[in-house]
Amino acid sequence: MSEKLLVPDIGEFEKVEIIELLVKPGDEININDPVVTIESDKSSVEIPSTFSGKIVSINIKVGDKVSKGDLLLSIESSKENPSEKPVPKDTENIIKQAESALQNKKKETIQQNKVEEKKQTIIQVANDNDIDPLETQDWLESLSAVVEKDGNQRAHFLIKELINKAYREGANIPYTQHTPYVNTIPPEAEVKSNGDQNIERRIRSLIRWNAAAMVVRANKKFPELGGHIGTFASAATLYDVGMNHFWRAKNNKFGGDLVYFQGHSAPGVYARAFLEGRLNEKQLDSFRQEVKPGGLSSYPHPWLMPKFWQFPTVSMGLGPMLAIYQARYMKYLINRGLIKDEGRKVWAFLGDGEMDEPESLGAIGLAAREKLDNLIFVINCNLQRLDGPVRGNGKIIQELEGSFRGAGWNVIKVIWGSYWDSLISNDKTGHLVKVMNETVDGEYQAMKARDGAYVRERFFGKYPETQELVSSLSDKDIWRLNRGGHDPHKVYAAYDQASKNQGSPTVIIAKTIKGYGMGKTGESVNTTHQTKKLDVDDLLYYRDRFDVPLTDKQVKNVEYFKPDEKSLEIKYIKEKRMRLGGFLPERTTYSKPIKAPAKDIFDFMKVSTGEKEMSTTMALVRMFTNLLRDKNVSPKLVPIIPDEARTFGMEGFFQKIGIYAHEGQKYEPEDSAQLSSYREEKTGQVLEEGINEAGAMSSWIAAATSYTNHDIEMIPIYIFYSMFGFQRIGDLAWAAGDSQARGFLIGATAGRTTLAGEGLQHQDGHSHLIASTIPNCISYDPTFHYELAVIFREGLRRMHEKNENVFYYITTMNENYSHPGIPKDKDCEKGILKGMYKIKEFSRYKKTKIQLLGSGTILREMMAAAEILQNEYQIDSEIWSVTSFNELRKDGMEVERYNLLNPDKDQKVSFVEQCLGKTEGPILAASDYMRMNSDQIRPYTDKSFYSLGTDGYGRSDTRKNLRKFFEVDKEHIVAYGLSVLAKEQLIASKYAKEAIKKYNIDGDKPMPTKL
Ligand SMILES: Cc1ncc(C[n+]2csc(CCOP(=O)(O)OP(=O)(O)O)c2C)c(N)n1
Ligand SMILES: [Mg+2]
């Protein structure tokens, strides 16, 4: 049966151009195969077929303009085509998802029923505001009965119903963010570890000792080195329980859990690796001295220790965010079918002070929304940061509990150690919990800096009931009452529950003591954080505190201690890790390279666009569309967009490859009838991050390091408003460099004057300079579509085929103009990649010449100015397209360094000098960025060099007015060019003066930086 394929609803557009025919008569095609590409002035989109069959005739050709309803082609359809209108794709999805949701629900219910409710002691909280204690007692007893008879879930349900009812009755009950200041898991519900606690304690003590010794030894040698003892001292148990029992390493059978170590706890991680035999004494002795190869970096830095550290975390706040997006990306890979679901987890260790960084809490909502049950945060609440208490007057644990509960996380508080269990269960009046609730962190900290007598007086002494509770305990016993984060049993139970939790991320909030075991000079005092030197008495105390088998002499020499290889401790530590699949952390890579696509994928960008005008952003989007046809590259592309797809003309991707949504699409989108309708899908490829540049960058980093963390090479392309890139998330970009990220960052709508109308906060005149600060970031500012194609292809080849650890920053613009074909010169491609090539020459008069260097869209102003200089002033010129001042500078620096270090050898010539050395006339360079951008190459040529640029705040106006304001339009270039020639005494100054007058250039106008 013959079917007619018409142009579907393409939104507000009419008369859009056919730019590509993807089929011909006689071709057999399937439903959804693209048949033509259409392009409006903003974006290009493929139209898919809604039939399958053989193409009989094609009714349009390239260049035709079409609108909704126009006939594209006729198809002899195959029989399987449904005769009636097909069920819309979205409806099908909805049905599928509803079915699978129902099935999951069923599973969940079955599982829930299976979980045996554990009985829980009820903690009564004494309350002075209770106007009728008897009535309260009645209610509480009823609740106890329900817990006993029907379990926690039922009790929870009833409480929820009561609250709902109260709301409906008009009672405005405030939401309770907090639970009492006690452990979330009651003792009777704790799952016990099968580990040998004695051996584990001995191992932990040795790790503690060696970590401290490493820092102390380094500072004895070189007092300037620094280091931290107090952070790891507080977190040792939290790490050890994970290492001995939970964290599975990557090996040939399993992808491995990913652990983000808190930056300042690095000494403890090295100390464990020493016992495991992965590091030796010499290496420990080179802590913070990594200038010599083999040294240990101060903090986790994959760049400095590429076989060890996986995640840079020490810039506080980045770890939590990166971990959340890592867990989300792991699910993305699973849902797209690119890796298996092996139940891998992402663990992130964070400081309580670190949680004040806005980034630390900034993405917790996403983690809950995406149901990231593969994510576990462990917040080490030692109640202190660098200067003093995190919340002296409040309670950081309660505050964090409220934030995480509110966001929908599973919260496990580990506050009190096992020694407290009996006290809490004997607290029949609720006064102990009352004191716990009332005591603020400043007091908790002060108590641990004192002794048992002080705790008795200040804490238990608050009420006769609590005083009585500890009347049979000695001060020593009271001092021994431990905090949850130092109790391996409590920590094990929390980790066990966190690992099994389904449907939400988990945060373990553990209470510890900063500088635990460091004695009077270092434990729980405000200066703990910076303690890096311990005197002999402190060291002896530390040894005794943890029973480290060293003599006094050995302690005085601050010797390391490692038991014999055959000792129980070493055997135990190794056996535990072998059971968990290997050592951690370890950075390895087994991914396969991606073959760079055939050159012809980019061919369309190498020919002139003729009259047709387009922006480089649009050319880029067209290039993506082509890349999606390459079978090697297509599945590996990860387009990341922070709510700007329509700005960049990328909305065609919504239908074509879908937006990733872990729950699929539960609604029929408003624009479902349109070609580019908003399509969310479980297997969607686009990461649409919303207005969230930091999150988008974190996703990009996860994808850009996928080759090592998931052993699958991916090609992330994060496209953003250039101003909201490096300037906004510069620290994450730095961490990306440290992480050896591979991928593309696209600064779209770039340039200070190219983005017209938007104003001061939007117009970017410096992102290339910030990009140049990152050593392994390669950046380009291309003007024409063929330059973009050459740069992009080389990026794919270097990063994803040859696996170089660099990443690309490319700026694209939204200014429409026509693009020429690639020049025939055989060295053109080399020049594009090195940073400059000659694009045009005017040589009619052979009298006076100037070299014009232009970058980005200002190159076009240069070309226009060159024409005026030739036609009106008889000045010849050579025009150079500078694709990257940054790359030219790197080359110049390297050459200069070589020459200075090798004065007796043949001197090398910088690429800038190779291009310009033999040319005639002075150089005038300009870009849409600050003068500093082009000034970068000034030292690498002996010729006279002048720069123009867009220094100063942007403002909203037309492109023409902006260029005039910043003095980078063709008129200013002509006037400045003549002035430069006059200064060099190549022409008379009157020509420059005349031009300044002719173009109404006000010589008295202040510098734009002052306006
Ligand atoms: C973004 C950032 N700001 C400041 C610092 C400096 N700094 C390092 S550790 C620290 C205190 C950390 O306190 P906390 O997070 O509570 O960790 P703890 O050592 O107590 O476990 C500070 C301010 C940093 N590393 N990163
Ligand atoms: Mg802290």
Side-chain angles (χ1 to χ4, degrees):
M1 156 186 192
S2 178
E3 299 282 0
K4 300 214 173 307
L5 183 67
L6 309 180
V7 175
D9 186 348
I10 46 178
E12 72 213 36
F13 300 106
E14 282 216 18
K15 293 204 181 330
V16 287
E17 188 177 340
I18 304 271
I19 59 160
E20 245 180 330
L21 269 182
L22 305 168
V23 290
K24 54 184 184 319
D27 282 359
E28 290 280 354
I29 58 166
N30 292 316
I31 291 180
N32 278 338
D33 280 355
V35 293
V36 294
T37 311
I38 55 170
E39 190 166 78
S40 68
D41 58 347
K42 252 186 71 201
S43 67
S44 53
V45 190
E46 289 171 351
I47 298 185
S49 174
T50 44
F51 309 103
S52 63
K54 193 178 193 169
I55 296 182
V56 182
S57 62
I58 296 185
N59 293 63
I60 33 91
K61 58 183 186 316
V62 170
D64 284 357
K65 302 260 169 87
V66 294
S67 301
K68 181 181 170 187
D70 288 350
L71 177 63
L72 292 173
L73 45 83
S74 305
I75 295 179
E76 193 55 47
S77 74
S78 37
K79 286 187 205 87
E80 318 80 84
N81 280 339
S83 47
E84 301 124 48
K85 198 167 175 277
V87 183
K89 259 186 281 165
D90 304 293
T91 313
E92 241 169 28
N93 270 344
I94 292 165
I95 295 169
K96 246 195 254 159
Q97 275 150 21
E99 279 170 359
S100 79
L102 270 178
Q103 260 175 1
N104 287 345
K105 188 93 203 148
K106 234 193 243 167
K107 270 191 230 152
E108 250 172 48
T109 333
I110 293 167
Q111 257 176 3
Q112 268 180 12
N113 289 345
K114 267 199 245 158
V115 179
E116 242 186 67
E117 298 295 351
K118 296 225 165 112
K119 284 183 199 156
Q120 204 173 334
T121 29
I122 300 158
I123 293 155
Q124 301 170 350
V125 181
N127 189 339
D128 296 338
N129 300 327
D130 193 346
I131 54 163
D132 189 348
L134 272 182
E135 188 184 37
T136 312
Q137 196 60 28
D138 262 4
W139 282 74
L140 292 179
E141 274 169 16
S142 305
L143 187 68
S144 299
V146 173
V147 172
E148 201 156 309
K149 187 168 152 279
D150 300 319
N152 286 343
Q153 300 264 357
R154 173 73 187 150
H156 191 252
F157 174 80
L158 286 176
I159 295 167
K160 224 169 78 184
E161 284 301 296
L162 278 175
I163 293 173
N164 286 346
K165 176 81 177 150
Y167 271 118
R168 288 198 301 271
E169 300 284 320
N172 188 12
I173 303 169
Y175 163 71
T176 52
Q177 294 163 289
H178 313 125
T179 58
Y181 199 63
V182 292
N183 293 350
T184 307
I185 305 174
E188 57 276 16
E190 284 167 10
V191 172
K192 301 276 179 262
S193 158
N194 61 2
D196 181 327
Q197 293 307 322
N198 284 327
I199 294 189
E200 287 189 16
R201 181 179 183 274
R202 289 210 297 276
I203 291 170
R204 197 157 48 246
S205 299
L206 296 180
I207 294 175
R208 284 177 186 285
W209 173 265
N210 288 328
M214 186 183 72
V215 176
V216 173
R217 283 169 75 97
N219 282 281
K220 266 191 151 180
K221 214 167 31 165
F222 302 112
E224 69 198 89
L225 288 182
H228 301 88
I229 302 172
T231 299
F232 180 72
S234 69
T237 308
L238 299 174
Y239 285 114
D240 250 34
V241 173
M243 283 287 198
N244 285 334
H245 301 285
F246 290 91
W247 304 335
R248 299 153 300 172
K250 186 207 286 190
N251 55 36
N252 56 3
K253 295 196 188 73
F254 181 73
D257 293 325
L258 301 175
V259 184
Y260 288 71
F261 293 92
Q262 196 189 345
H264 299 77
S265 58
V269 183
Y270 295 139
R272 174 173 254 272
F274 171 59
L275 291 192
E276 290 169 347
R278 303 172 65 202
L279 296 176
N280 57 35
E281 264 191 42
K282 204 169 146 217
Q283 284 169 298
L284 293 198
D285 271 344
S286 59
F287 173 59
R288 292 193 170 218
Q289 299 147 69
E290 69 269 42
V291 163
K292 213 153 89 190
L296 304 183
S297 59
S298 47
Y299 303 116
H301 292 302
W303 186 261
L304 300 174
M305 292 177 69
K307 295 195 168 136
F308 194 85
W309 292 117
Q310 296 170 283
F311 308 108
T313 48
V314 78
S315 177
M316 314 213 120
L318 299 193
M321 190 138 199
L322 289 169
I324 289 175
Y325 281 88
Q326 178 66 259
R328 201 287 210 96
Y329 177 71
M330 201 188 258
K331 295 241 178 194
Y332 167 88
L333 287 178
I334 292 167
N335 284 329
R336 284 195 54 206
L338 292 167
I339 60 169
K340 281 188 291 185
D341 186 357
E342 303 176 292
R344 294 166 66 202
K345 304 272 182 204
V346 176
W347 292 72
F349 280 76
L350 317 166
D352 47 358
E354 178 175 15
M355 296 314 290
D356 278 343
E357 288 285 0
E359 291 91 338
S360 299
L361 291 170
I364 63 172
L366 170 118
R369 201 161 60 240
E370 302 256 338
K371 301 189 170 39
L372 299 181
D373 49 13
N374 57 343
L375 176 67
I376 299 164
F377 270 15
V378 182
I379 307 179
N380 174 18
C381 290
N382 52 29
L383 312 186
Q384 287 174 246
R385 43 180 164 74
L386 192 150
D387 284 341
V390 178
R391 291 288 180 274
N393 293 322
K395 283 172 124 86
I396 186 65
I397 291 180
Q398 298 300 83
E399 190 180 319
L400 290 172
E401 176 188 36
S403 301
F404 281 91
R405 264 164 73 91
W409 285 52
N410 171 39
V411 179
I412 304 175
K413 292 197 290 190
V414 184
I415 302 180
W416 308 112
S418 306
Y419 293 124
W420 287 88
D421 287 348
S422 58
L423 282 183
I424 293 172
S425 83
N426 289 336
D427 177 32
K428 301 297 178 210
T429 64
H431 279 83
L432 178 57
V433 176
K434 184 172 157 66
V435 182
M436 288 170 166
N437 285 338
E438 286 168 356
T439 307
V440 294
D441 283 356
E443 290 173 283
Y444 278 119
Q445 184 199 333
M447 280 186 270
K448 280 300 173 188
R450 305 280 162 76
D451 55 21
Y454 185 88
V455 178
R456 184 192 299 278
E457 183 200 328
R458 294 296 183 100
F459 184 79
F460 294 105
K462 273 195 178 170
Y463 298 102
E465 290 84 348
T466 41
Q467 216 166 8
E468 173 58 27
L469 211 54
V470 290
S471 58
S472 61
L473 299 188
S474 67
D475 288 350
K476 224 172 163 184
D477 291 334
I478 289 182
W479 190 240
R480 211 170 333 128
L481 289 169
N482 55 347
R483 290 195 177 164
H486 296 299
D487 186 326
H489 305 285
K490 303 286 182 196
V491 174
Y492 184 95
Y495 285 9
D496 179 78
Q497 203 193 85
S499 307
K500 292 174 184 159
N501 182 55
Q502 288 189 355
S504 60
T506 295
V507 57
I508 293 165
I509 309 179
K511 185 168 176 169
T512 61
I513 296 166
K514 192 140 178 170
Y516 185 64
M518 284 168 70
K520 290 279 164 268
T521 47
E523 192 162 343
S524 207
V525 293
N526 278 337
T527 50
T528 302
H529 189 79
Q530 284 171 312
T531 307
K532 55 183 181 163
K533 291 178 189 159
L534 297 179
D535 64 24
V536 174
D537 284 345
D538 292 330
L539 287 166
L540 290 168
Y541 174 86
Y542 204 60
R543 176 205 55 187
D544 296 342
R545 171 75 182 77
F546 296 112
D547 309 313
V548 182
L550 286 173
T551 63
D552 285 3
K553 193 169 159 219
Q554 287 171 314
V555 169
K556 279 173 199 155
N557 290 336
V558 204
E559 289 182 21
Y560 298 117
F561 187 89
K562 184 175 173 191
D564 189 81
E565 279 299 309
K566 296 198 183 81
S567 65
L568 280 179
E569 289 86 351
I570 298 294
K571 274 196 191 149
Y572 187 90
I573 200 168
K574 285 192 174 167
E575 191 223 289
K576 284 287 173 199
R577 284 313 314 164
M578 287 314 113
R579 271 172 191 266
L580 290 162
F583 294 118
L584 261 173
E586 192 177 41
R587 190 175 185 276
T588 54
T589 303
Y590 301 102
S591 63
K592 288 198 196 82
I594 303 168
K595 203 173 155 9
K599 275 194 164 176
D600 60 11
I601 286 255
F602 302 94
D603 277 354
F604 77 98
M605 294 173 79
K606 296 201 172 157
V607 292
S608 163
T609 59
E611 295 286 285
K612 188 174 167 58
E613 297 196 335
M614 67 161 88
S615 65
T616 39
T617 303
M618 207 163 146
L620 180 93
V621 174
R622 257 219 217 177
M623 183 172 72
F624 284 171
T625 312
N626 265 17
L627 283 173
L628 286 169
R629 293 178 197 144
D630 183 284
K631 68 174 187 342
N632 291 321
V633 170
S634 175
K636 303 299 178 69
L637 288 174
V638 184
I640 302 169
I641 320 168
D643 200 29
E644 299 284 1
R646 293 181 204 279
T647 315
F648 308 137
M650 291 178 75
E651 62 271 40
F653 284 45
F654 296 165
Q655 264 304 316
K656 191 164 171 61
I657 49 177
I659 297 164
Y660 173 70
H662 73 106
E663 294 180 304
Q665 192 158 37
K666 295 174 171 174
Y667 61 98
E668 185 142 342
E670 163 279 314
D671 55 359
S672 61
Q674 285 180 18
L675 179 61
S676 297
S677 97
Y678 201 82
R679 183 167 73 91
E680 303 194 59
E681 201 180 17
K682 196 165 178 176
T683 57
Q685 198 163 347
V686 176
L687 287 173
E688 163 66 83
E689 302 292 9
I691 311 163
N692 179 0
E693 283 79 11
M697 187 64 185
S698 303
S699 275
W700 183 84
I701 292 174
T705 52
S706 198
Y707 68 90
T708 163
N709 296 322
H710 305 285
D711 286 323
I712 178 166
E713 183 85 30
M714 298 294 280
I715 309 171
I717 303 170
Y718 168 29
I719 179 161
F720 49 85
Y721 245 110
S722 76
M723 191 63 154
F724 306 132
F726 284 86
Q727 163 161 300
R728 177 99 191 191
I729 47 83
D731 204 13
L732 280 165
W734 186 254
D738 190 351
S739 310
Q740 300 166 51
R742 300 173 189 157
F744 294 93
L745 296 175
I746 308 290
T749 60
R752 186 93 82 205
T753 66
T754 315
L755 175 61
E758 291 290 349
L760 181 152
Q761 204 99 53
H762 282 70
Q763 290 160 341
D764 161 30
H766 48 271
S767 65
H768 278 287
L769 290 169
I770 313 180
S772 79
T773 60
I774 301 179
N776 45 343
C777 172
I778 296 177
S779 54
Y780 288 99
D781 180 22
T783 312
F784 295 122
H785 66 339
Y786 63 80
E787 295 175 349
L788 182 62
V790 169
I791 292 163
F792 201 89
R793 183 167 193 279
E794 179 67 356
L796 285 176
R797 193 190 67 80
R798 282 180 69 177
M799 294 187 288
H800 303 297
E801 185 172 302
K802 296 293 168 206
N803 297 153
E804 254 188 79
N805 288 326
V806 291
F807 65 94
Y808 273 55
Y809 174 55
I810 305 173
T811 41
T812 61
M813 277 79 70
N814 67 339
E815 182 174 350
N816 288 338
Y817 46 81
S818 53
H819 297 248
I822 188 166
K824 294 274 178 292
D825 181 356
K826 67 175 178 15
D827 288 333
C828 174
E829 289 202 16
K830 178 182 156 205
I832 291 174
L833 297 173
K834 298 267 313 172
M836 69 187 286
Y837 67 98
K838 198 193 313 180
I839 190 167
K840 207 165 179 175
E841 184 162 4
F842 290 93
S843 54
R844 202 185 308 153
Y845 296 101
K846 305 208 170 14
K847 281 194 310 199
T848 315
K849 203 163 201 179
I850 185 165
Q851 303 298 317
L852 299 173
L853 276 54
S855 192
T857 53
I858 300 305
L859 171 64
R860 295 181 62 254
E861 298 288 341
M862 281 285 187
M863 292 168 102
E867 238 169 294
I868 300 173
L869 284 169
Q870 174 90 116
N871 296 339
E872 296 182 22
Y873 299 92
Q874 302 188 353
I875 305 288
D876 290 343
S877 61
E878 286 173 58
I879 305 167
W880 299 81
S881 170
V882 179
T883 49
S884 177
F885 283 110
N886 285 348
E887 284 303 291
L888 292 175
R889 174 180 140 275
K890 282 185 200 164
D891 169 83
M893 277 196 304
E894 222 175 313
V895 166
E896 184 178 75
R897 176 176 175 272
Y898 174 90
N899 290 343
L900 291 174
L901 291 175
N902 297 278
D904 50 336
K905 295 210 180 117
D906 280 351
Q907 298 286 282
K908 292 187 179 176
V909 181
S910 70
F911 190 70
V912 171
E913 197 59 0
Q914 285 174 38
C915 293
L916 298 172
K918 296 207 174 77
T919 58
E920 257 180 73
I923 297 166
L924 178 61
S927 74
D928 209 10
Y929 294 83
M930 296 164 69
R931 282 171 179 75
M932 212 191 284
N933 190 31
S934 37
D935 275 346
Q936 292 187 89
I937 65 168
R938 232 182 238 254
Y940 308 119
T941 171
D942 294 333
K943 302 174 82 67
S944 298
F945 191 103
Y946 300 83
S947 271
L948 301 178
T950 54
D951 298 66
Y953 282 123
R955 53 201 66 205
S956 44
D957 209 314
T958 62
R959 225 168 249 144
K960 192 166 170 37
N961 283 345
L962 287 171
R963 285 190 183 151
K964 186 169 179 191
F965 175 81
F966 284 108
E967 305 174 1
V968 289
D969 58 350
K970 60 180 188 290
E971 291 83 6
H972 275 88
I973 294 171
V974 168
Y976 274 115
L978 291 169
S979 230
V980 162
L981 289 167
K983 186 157 188 280
E984 298 290 322
Q985 302 195 336
L986 294 169
I987 59 169
S989 60
K990 67 174 184 191
Y991 297 108
K993 247 181 117 179
E994 269 169 30
I996 290 171
K997 193 162 165 227
K998 177 176 170 192
Y999 296 125
N1000 289 325
I1001 296 172
D1002 174 6
D1004 294 329
K1005 183 187 127 193
M1007 257 310 264
T1009 45
K1010 296 185 176 157
L1011 291 170

